[in-house]
Amino acid sequence: MMTDMITAELVRLDADLGSEKSQVINQLATVVAAAGRTGSQEQLVADAMAREATSNTGLPGGIAIPHCRTAAVEVPTLAFARLSPAVDFGAKDGPADLAFLIAAPEGGDATHLKVLTMLARALVKPDFVAGLRSATTPEEAVAVIQSEVSEPEPAAGGAHAASTPAPAAGAAASSGAAHSLVAVTACPTGIAHTYMAAEALERAAEAAGVEIHVETQGSAGAKPLDPAIISAADAVIFAVDVGVRDRSRFAGKPMVSSGVKRAIDDGDGMVAEALRYAADPGSAPKVEGSAADGAASTGGGEGESWGGRTRRVLMTGVSYMIPFVAAGGLLIALSFLLGGYEIAGPYGDIAVHNTLFNPPNAGDLGLDHALFSSGFFAYLGAIFFIIGKTAFMFFVPALAGYIAFAIADRPGIAPGFVMGGLAANIFGVTSSSGVALPATGFLGAIIGGVLAGIVAHWIASWAVPSWARGLMPVMVIPLLTSLICGVLMIIVLGKPIAWLMDKLNDGLNSMSGSSAVLLGVVLGLMMAFDMGGPLNKVAYSFAVAGIGSASLASNAPQLRIMAAVMLAGMVPPIALALATVVRPHLFTPAERENGKAGWLMGASFITEGAIPFAAADPLRVIPPIMLGSALTGGLAEAMHVASRAPHGGIFVLFAVSNILGFFIALIAGTLVGAAGVILLKSIGKSDPENITIAV
C-alpha cells in the first residue's frame, strides 16, 4: 500500500539540505521532482510554504512535517530526510533532524489519506522515531515507515476511542478513572497535526487511566461521535486550528480549548486540565449554549429516526435564522423610536442627502414622531432602519441555507441561500408591468432549503475521478444544485407556494375577535410546552416571519401575533420565579437560586429560564405554565397588544403598542402560572428541605 507513496529514492539520510526551513522544503520538493512525482516543483514548494505560513510544522523531539494538499501531485507522496545539520521548523524544544514532506493531491484518494493519517499518528511513538534515527540505509528507513503505517486504524471513519483497564483502588480519584472525556482535533489541511493531536491525547488519557473518545475532523473523513458518548462525557477537549464542525453538540460541557500544537506538545496537561474541570464543573469554562442546544446540531446519529431528522434539520435552520431576526428586528424598532414610524418612507433620501453634521429637517419630511422632533435623531433612525432592514432581509435566506447545511453539510449552504433569496425575492424581480416574481416567504425557504440539501447531498455522493474531487464542493455541487433547484423553484413550485402564503396572510388579516384570541391561546401553549424546543421555535418563527412582511399600521395582525408570542414566552420564567418567592419551601435551594435569575430571564424574553424547573418536576411545572402562557397569549390578542420588536421583553416597550395591555396580559398569565405550580407542588409533595434518608 505504501509502495506508491514512499520508496528509497524519496529518502535522504544525514543530508545537508540547507540552514532554513524554506531551503529544506525546496530540496525535498527537488527529491520529489527527481522521482517523477510532481509536474511542478514550484507549485509544490509554494503550497507547502503557504501551509507553513498558517502555523509552524516543527514538533517536539526534533521532527518536522511540512505538508500540503496540492494540485502539483497526482499520487500521494512522502519524502523523508534525516538532516545534518538540524534545521529550525519552529518547535519549542529546538531544531528538527527528521523532516517529512507530505504531499496529498487535492481531493486525494481516501485510502492514501488514511495512510497519511497513520503516519501522522506514528510520529508521536518513540520507537518509530528511534527506528528512523538508527536506520543505516534508505531501504531500512522505508521499511520502518511501512511497518508502522501498514497497521490497521484503531477505529473507522475518524472517530477513535482509547480506554484502559480500571486502575487500582485508591488511584481512581487521582487518575480520573471515574470520568469520561471526548475530544475533537482539526488542523487547516487535516493531514498531519489532526491525527498526531488525537494520538497524543489518547496516549495521555491512557496514562491517566481515563476513557477518551476522539473525533478527528481531517482529510480521511470524520465520523461524528455518538450522541450518547457526548452526553455521558464529563468534559470536552478542543485541539483545533479551525472551527469545530457542529460545535453545538457539546453545548454546556466543561471545555479545554487550544490549538493542535498544544495537544501534541502537552497532551498530559490538557487531559489533566479536563479532569480538573470535570471534577469541578462550576469553575470551568463551558461550551457556549445549553445542553438543549445540541438538538440544533447538524450531526445526527446513524439510528436517527425520520422524525428526529426532520426536527434536527428545521431546528438547525431556525437556530441560525434567529440572530438575523433579533439584530434586524431590534434595529428597526430602534429606528422607529428615533425617527418615528414615518421613517420607513424617506429613509433612503435621508441616508443619501444628509449626514450627522447636516441632519434633515424632520418637519419638512413629515417625521412628526421623531424623537424630540430632532433631525439628528431622524438621521440616526434612517441609518438604523437601513442596517436593520438589511439584516432582516437575510433571515429567509439564512433559514433556507442552514436547512440545506443540516442535510448536505457545507456544500449545501450556497444553494440553500440561493433558494432563500428566491423565496424572499431579495432583488425585487418584477415585469415591465410591475408584477413581481412570486415571493414564497418562510414556507418557500423551508421547501427550498430541504430541496437544495437533498440535491446537494445526492450530487456529493457521485463517484467522480480523483482530479475532479477538489472541484466538487467549491464549484460542481453549488453550481448544479443552484441550477436544478432554482429552476424548480421558479418554474414549478414558486406560484403554488406563493398562492398558499397569500391565503395564509389573508387568513391572518381577517382574524378578529374570538378567532384571533384562539390563535393567541394556541401560540401561548406552544411557547410554554417545551421552552425553547421545536414547538416553541415553530411558534416564534411563525411570528417573526409575519413581522417581516407586516404593514406599518400599529394594529397589523402580524404585530399582534408577535406581541402574543413574546408575552407568552416571558411567562414561564417569571411565574416560576414568583412561585419560589411565595412558597420557597416547595423548592430546593438550587431552584430558589434559579428563581432569582428567572426574573431577569423572563423579563428579557428568554423562556429557557424555566427549563431547570421543568426538567426536575415536569408534571407539576409544565401544565400550569402552559395555562398561564395560553391566558397571556389570548389576552394580548384580545387587547390588541402589538410589538414591532421580535425580541427583548420589557426592554423594547418603545416598540410596543398598548403598553397597559402588555402588562395586564403578562401579570395575569404570571399569576395563573405561579398559582398552578404552587397548587400542584403542594399536592403529595414532600418538603425538599425536610427530606431525610433512612440508613
Side-chain angles (χ1 to χ4, degrees):
M1 180 169 57
M2 280 292 292
T3 303
D4 292 336
M5 285 193 62
I6 187 168
T7 62
E9 61 183 331
L10 291 169
V11 175
R12 298 291 185 270
L13 298 181
D14 302 320
D16 183 354
L17 301 187
S19 59
E20 302 288 337
K21 64 180 180 180
S22 59
Q23 295 173 321
V24 174
I25 291 173
N26 188 68
Q27 289 297 316
L28 286 173
T30 301
V31 171
V32 173
R37 297 300 188 93
T38 179
S40 176
Q41 178 180 337
E42 295 77 12
Q43 182 66 47
L44 176 56
V45 172
D47 290 339
M49 291 304 298
R51 168 60 186 88
E52 199 74 21
T54 65
S55 64
N56 291 322
T57 55
L59 303 172
I63 301 170
I65 52 164
H67 58 276
C68 63
R69 300 171 67 90
T70 176
V73 299
E74 295 184 358
V75 177
T77 299
L78 172 65
F80 168 67
R82 192 167 66 204
L83 303 176
S84 180
V87 176
D88 184 11
F89 273 78
K92 294 180 180 179
D93 62 346
D97 64 324
L98 301 180
F100 296 85
L101 176 61
I102 307 171
E106 290 182 337
D109 179 79
T111 299
H112 286 91
L113 289 173
K114 289 180 180 179
V115 172
L116 291 173
T117 297
M118 287 186 278
L119 172 64
R121 297 170 73 88
L123 290 174
V124 298
K125 298 179 180 180
D127 292 344
F128 177 73
V129 175
L132 292 176
R133 287 203 169 99
S134 63
T136 57
T137 65
E139 290 78 10
E140 187 177 343
V142 170
V144 171
I145 295 171
Q146 289 180 336
S147 65
E148 187 63 42
V149 299
S150 62
E151 295 175 0
E153 287 245 314
H160 303 273
S163 60
T164 62
S174 61
S175 70
H179 295 294
S180 173
L181 305 178
V182 291
V184 176
T185 62
C187 70
T189 56
I191 293 177
H193 288 84
T194 298
Y195 304 100
M196 297 179 69
E199 181 75 18
L201 289 173
E202 289 173 358
R203 286 177 168 269
E206 182 178 359
V210 62
E211 183 179 53
I212 189 169
H213 297 266
V214 184
E215 180 179 312
T216 52
Q217 297 183 353
S219 295
K223 179 181 179 181
L225 289 169
D226 189 313
I229 291 176
I230 296 175
S231 177
D234 299 289
V236 59
I237 297 173
F238 292 143
V240 296
D241 291 330
V242 293
V244 176
R245 300 174 199 162
D246 305 337
R247 184 184 177 100
S248 60
R249 292 174 294 159
F250 306 93
K253 293 287 183 186
M255 170 186 66
V256 177
S257 182
S258 76
V260 292
K261 293 293 289 292
R262 185 192 169 194
I264 297 170
D265 294 347
D266 186 25
D268 292 328
M270 292 194 77
V271 168
E273 187 176 351
L275 292 175
R276 268 200 318 275
Y277 289 154
D280 184 17
S283 65
K286 293 182 173 61
V287 181
E288 59 278 3
S290 65
D293 295 335
S297 163
T298 62
E302 292 182 3
E304 188 179 25
S305 66
W306 277 104
R309 184 175 303 169
T310 301
R311 174 184 180 275
R312 171 176 60 81
V313 166
L314 293 177
M315 287 288 288
T316 299
V318 170
S319 66
Y320 281 103
M321 175 198 79
I322 287 175
F324 291 93
V325 172
L330 288 173
L331 282 168
I332 290 173
L334 285 170
S335 75
F336 291 149
L337 171 67
L338 298 173
Y341 296 137
E342 303 89 352
I343 197 66
Y347 68 89
D349 290 336
I350 294 173
V352 171
H353 299 299
N354 298 103
T355 67
L356 280 172
F357 306 103
N358 178 32
N361 186 304
D364 290 347
L365 294 174
L367 302 177
D368 298 332
H369 295 90
L371 191 63
F372 305 127
S373 299
S374 165
F376 174 79
F377 287 114
Y379 178 78
L380 288 181
I383 299 302
F384 280 26
F385 186 85
I386 292 171
I387 298 172
K389 194 171 180 64
T390 301
F392 217 83
M393 186 182 297
F394 282 103
F395 95 79
V396 171
L399 175 62
Y402 286 103
I403 284 175
F405 167 65
I407 297 172
D409 211 344
R410 294 180 187 177
I413 292 180
F417 264 85
V418 172
M419 294 307 99
L422 291 174
N425 192 12
I426 58 175
F427 287 108
V429 180
T430 58
S431 67
S432 58
S433 60
V435 179
L437 189 72
T440 55
F442 78 95
L443 184 58
I446 293 172
I447 295 174
V450 170
L451 181 63
I454 292 172
V455 172
H457 189 271
W458 170 60
I459 296 174
S461 68
W462 291 357
V464 298
S466 59
W467 60 265
R469 288 174 185 158
L471 299 175
M472 290 293 288
V474 297
M475 186 178 74
V476 177
I477 297 175
L479 173 63
L480 292 182
T481 304
S482 298
L483 180 61
I484 294 170
C485 298
V487 169
L488 286 174
M489 182 62 71
I490 295 173
I491 297 177
V492 180
L493 300 174
K495 290 183 179 179
I497 299 174
W499 176 84
L500 186 59
M501 287 295 297
D502 288 342
K503 293 300 180 183
L504 178 61
N505 287 327
D506 290 343
L508 290 176
N509 289 324
S510 66
M511 275 190 169
S512 61
S514 60
S515 60
V517 172
L518 178 61
L519 178 63
V521 169
V522 172
L523 291 173
L525 291 171
M526 294 173 70
M527 289 299 294
F529 176 70
D530 54 2
M531 295 158 285
L535 280 180
N536 175 286
K537 290 295 191 291
V538 167
Y540 181 72
S541 300
F542 176 70
V544 298
I547 67 169
S549 59
S551 68
L552 294 178
S554 61
N555 64 344
Q558 294 91 338
L559 302 184
R560 298 202 302 269
I561 290 171
M562 186 71 254
V565 164
M566 183 160 66
L567 280 163
M570 295 168 65
V571 166
I574 299 177
L576 288 162
L578 177 62
T580 62
V581 172
V582 175
R583 291 288 188 272
H585 67 279
L586 295 175
F587 300 89
T588 66
E591 287 175 331
R592 292 198 291 270
E593 286 299 312
N594 287 329
K596 295 175 183 177
W599 293 107
L600 181 59
M601 295 183 77
S604 305
F605 181 33
I606 301 175
T607 315
E608 288 84 349
I611 289 177
F613 298 91
D617 195 4
L619 295 180
R620 290 180 173 87
V621 169
I622 295 178
I625 62 174
M626 287 178 65
L627 181 62
S629 291
L631 175 62
T632 292
L635 286 175
E637 284 281 5
M639 292 185 288
H640 290 197
V641 181
S643 173
R644 295 179 180 275
H647 214 288
I650 64 172
F651 301 102
V652 291
L653 289 177
F654 59 83
V656 172
S657 298
N658 190 3
I659 294 177
L660 177 61
F662 180 98
F663 281 107
I664 290 174
L666 178 62
I667 292 171
T670 298
L671 291 175
V672 168
V677 170
I678 292 171
L679 176 63
L680 291 182
K681 278 186 169 286
S682 300
I683 299 174
K685 183 75 172 179
S686 300
D687 188 333
E689 292 183 339
N690 297 324
I691 293 176
T692 59
I693 301 175
V695 294

